[in-house]
Amino acid sequence: MTSPVRLLIFGLMRDTNAPELSRLLGREADSGLQMVDIPGDNDEAFAVVQLSPDRDQAMRLADRVNHCHFHGRHLQCWVTALPWV
């Protein structure tokens, strides 16, 4: 059994909604996207995106996101190295 691949996307604001971010990511992110608030006064959040178990596709998407600006903020994205339990 292969595990899904996950992306972590940083540089988001707490008021970012998942459907809006999904449009930026495209069909690759259809399987799941979760927004997580970062504690503190900075109003920041990150997203966890669950993808199909295609690591090459995930790496291409992460590279594309790393070159994006979303609501005037530069996004940072990477693929998790180990399966998420």
Side-chain angles (χ1 to χ4, degrees):
M1 183 171 118
T2 52
S3 299
V5 177
R6 288 183 174 76
L7 297 180
L8 299 177
I9 303 173
F10 288 89
L12 302 168
M13 296 299 292
R14 269 190 197 148
D15 62 354
T16 302
N17 62 49
E20 186 177 35
L21 187 57
S22 289
R23 283 192 299 276
L24 174 75
L25 298 174
R27 289 184 4 172
E28 292 94 343
D30 283 347
S31 58
L33 184 139
Q34 177 186 6
M35 299 296 299
V36 180
D37 290 343
I38 297 175
D41 294 334
N42 56 8
D43 287 330
E44 293 185 0
F46 68 94
V48 178
V49 183
Q50 182 173 312
L51 303 169
S52 64
D54 182 345
R55 193 160 203 69
D56 290 334
Q57 178 187 23
M59 295 298 283
R60 286 191 301 274
L61 179 58
D63 185 55
R64 192 179 84 205
V65 170
N66 278 326
H67 291 93
C68 286
H69 282 79
F70 187 72
H71 295 282
R73 298 174 61 102
H74 176 74
L75 300 180
Q76 296 176 330
C77 179
W78 64 85
V79 178
T80 58
L82 298 172
W84 199 283
V85 193

